[in-house]
């Protein structure tokens, strides 16, 4: 089977699941989505994976209508924050041509303000633009982009309540030191805290090339606990760019870690599974020796 035939077959597998008349098989959808979702179906698949769209097809029309009505009622006003969002979107669009266009700017403003006005404990930060962007790109409607974005933000909030960011950074540093000791930056000029905090806090939304990010999130949304897997992906990325990093000066290293090059995501994800497997084995043997 050649590459085109494989792609057609893969697309057909997704379409079979999504076109089911009674019930969308979420388990099968998750298994397939871990290997990436065809771009033309990504929006629809993400809605199911994130629980925005229910698997029961008989409730589809009524739930779509209810979502749309709920979103229409939301407050999307705050002129000061709207100005800050527009400025950040303008910077973001220069880096991500997939989201160019004035019409997208207003969608960002509406979605982020609807979220902030519905969650008064959340403060605006520029990272919300990068976290929201994949949904605006892959979903057909502003309403669906909002509800998928909200699902991700809720999951992230829950995760950080259980494990603080400080703890996650400390755990990642340990993982980095054990997994890639030859690359571990002992040099004070490369502040591990700075880039690893952003990598862990924002699921690489700010650092990754956009096409890599949406591919990674296909796998994350298909997992039951993507946050536990995420540090291994971060480690895997460091392995991928290891040779390039070893040739760079300190200031260049920082730049590369905050603006990652194009990566082979299939390899990154496969290596992340290997790192996780090795870490579990190492922990088991250490526990056995105690």
């Amino acid at each position: 089977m050649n590459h085109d035939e494989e792609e057609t077959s893969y697309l057909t597998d997704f379409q079979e699941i999504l076109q089911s008349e009674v019930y969308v098989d979420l388990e099968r959808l998750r298994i397939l989505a871990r290997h990436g979702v065809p771009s033309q179906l990504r929006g629809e698949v993400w809605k199911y994976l994130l629980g925005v769209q229910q698997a029961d097809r008989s409730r589809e029309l009524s739930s779509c209508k209810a979502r749309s009505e709920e979103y229409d009622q939301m407050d999307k006003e705050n002129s000061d924050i709207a100005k800050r969002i527009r400025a950040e979107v303008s910077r973001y669009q220069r880096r991500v041509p997939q989201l160019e266009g004035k019409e997208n700017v207003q969608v960002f403003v509406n979605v982020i303000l609807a979220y902030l006005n519905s969650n008064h404990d959340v403060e605006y930060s520029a990272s919300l633009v990068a976290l929201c962007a994949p949904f605006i790109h892959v979903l057909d409607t502003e309403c669906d982009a909002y509800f998928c974005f909200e699902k991700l933000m809720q999951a992230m909030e829950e995760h950080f309540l259980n494990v603080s960011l400080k703890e996650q950074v400390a755990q990642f540093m340990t993982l980095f030191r054990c997994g890639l000791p030859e690359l571990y930056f002992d040099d004070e000029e490369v502040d591990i805290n700075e880039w690893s905090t952003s990598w862990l806090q924002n699921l690489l939304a700010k650092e990754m090339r956009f096409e890599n990010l949406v591919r990674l999130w296909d796998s994350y949304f298909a997992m039951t606990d993507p946050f536990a897997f995420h540090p291994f992906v971060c480690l895997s990325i460091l392995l991928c760019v290891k040779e390039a990093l070893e040739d760079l000066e300190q200031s260049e290293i920082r730049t590369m870690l905050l603006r990652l090059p194009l990566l082979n995501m299939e390899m990154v994800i496969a290596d992340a599974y290997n790192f996780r497997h090795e870490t579990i084995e190492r922990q088991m043997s250490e526990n056995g020796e105690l």
Side-chain angles (χ1 to χ4, degrees):
M1 194 186 284
N2 67 33
H3 181 66
D4 287 347
E5 287 172 337
E6 272 183 25
E7 284 207 345
T8 305
S9 163
Y10 195 53
L11 183 64
T12 306
D13 289 343
F14 274 99
Q15 285 170 333
E16 270 179 20
I17 298 169
L18 295 171
Q19 287 164 4
S20 158
E21 287 179 21
V22 183
Y23 189 85
V24 171
D25 187 338
L26 291 180
E27 197 45 50
R28 260 190 79 203
L29 197 60
R30 284 195 187 98
I31 291 166
L32 275 183
R34 281 180 193 175
H35 304 285
V37 180
S39 56
Q40 60 268 57
L41 298 177
R42 185 170 270 134
E44 201 178 343
V45 171
W46 279 16
K47 281 193 287 184
Y48 284 110
L49 295 179
L50 287 162
V52 168
Q53 190 76 282
Q54 299 305 308
D56 182 352
R57 297 302 294 265
S58 66
R59 295 165 55 195
E60 197 167 304
L61 281 174
S62 58
S63 67
C64 282
K65 189 168 178 282
R67 274 203 308 276
S68 184
E69 286 171 0
E70 185 184 344
Y71 183 68
D72 286 345
Q73 296 298 313
M74 286 180 176
D75 175 13
K76 305 174 188 75
E77 297 297 321
N78 184 319
S79 54
D80 290 344
I81 294 178
K83 198 183 292 180
R84 291 167 68 188
I85 296 169
R86 283 193 185 94
E88 182 57 31
V89 171
S90 168
R91 281 190 289 272
Y92 185 84
Q93 286 180 319
R94 286 198 289 275
R95 195 163 60 82
V96 183
Q98 292 94 324
L99 280 147
E100 278 175 350
K102 284 184 179 175
E103 67 286 352
N104 279 326
V105 178
Q106 195 55 47
V107 178
F108 273 103
V109 171
N110 291 346
V111 168
I112 293 171
L113 283 180
Y115 176 71
L116 291 172
N117 289 334
S118 305
N119 296 272
H120 296 293
D121 53 328
V122 180
E123 284 185 22
Y124 171 73
S125 79
S127 60
L128 290 175
V129 168
L131 285 163
C132 180
F135 301 112
I136 290 175
H137 180 63
V138 310
L139 275 307
D140 290 335
T141 69
E142 186 181 303
C143 164
D144 284 338
Y146 170 80
F147 283 103
C148 286
F149 171 61
E150 183 190 51
K151 285 283 187 185
L152 175 65
M153 296 306 293
Q154 286 169 345
M156 287 172 73
E157 187 184 356
E158 202 174 304
H159 173 66
F160 287 116
L161 278 175
N162 293 328
V163 191
S164 74
L165 185 58
K166 201 174 172 184
E167 285 174 89
Q168 286 180 61
V169 171
Q171 287 166 7
F172 176 68
M173 285 187 183
T174 305
L175 200 60
F176 186 9
R177 205 180 279 119
C178 293
L180 287 172
E182 69 282 16
L183 188 63
Y184 190 76
F185 308 112
D186 277 326
D187 201 305
E188 285 164 24
E189 287 182 52
V190 181
D191 185 358
I192 296 182
N193 238 333
E194 180 196 16
W195 58 266
S196 67
T197 299
S198 179
W199 281 27
L200 295 165
Q201 189 172 25
N202 301 306
L203 292 182
L204 293 159
K206 291 167 77 176
E207 295 79 16
M208 247 187 185
R209 290 282 284 272
F210 193 74
E211 53 269 53
N212 285 166
L213 181 68
V214 291
R215 167 63 193 89
L216 177 64
W217 283 13
D218 287 342
S219 292
Y220 280 2
F221 298 158
M223 294 176 180
T224 49
D225 190 3
F227 302 105
F229 189 62
H230 183 61
F232 298 104
V233 169
C234 295
L235 200 59
S236 177
I237 289 168
L238 290 168
L239 177 65
C240 272
V241 297
K242 179 173 177 283
E243 285 182 21
L245 290 172
E246 286 169 342
D247 294 335
L248 297 176
E249 302 289 323
Q250 275 91 348
S251 63
E252 295 170 324
I253 289 173
R254 180 185 178 277
T255 302
M256 186 187 230
L257 293 173
L258 294 175
R259 283 285 176 274
L260 289 165
L262 200 60
L263 301 163
N264 176 338
M265 290 314 295
E266 307 316 311
M267 194 159 50
V268 166
I269 292 165
D271 285 340
Y273 277 111
N274 291 336
F275 272 126
R276 186 174 69 172
H277 181 67
E278 285 165 16
T279 304
I280 291 166
E281 282 200 331
R282 188 170 61 242
Q283 287 169 345
M284 284 168 70
S285 70
E286 283 170 3
N287 292 340
E289 284 163 15
L290 290 175

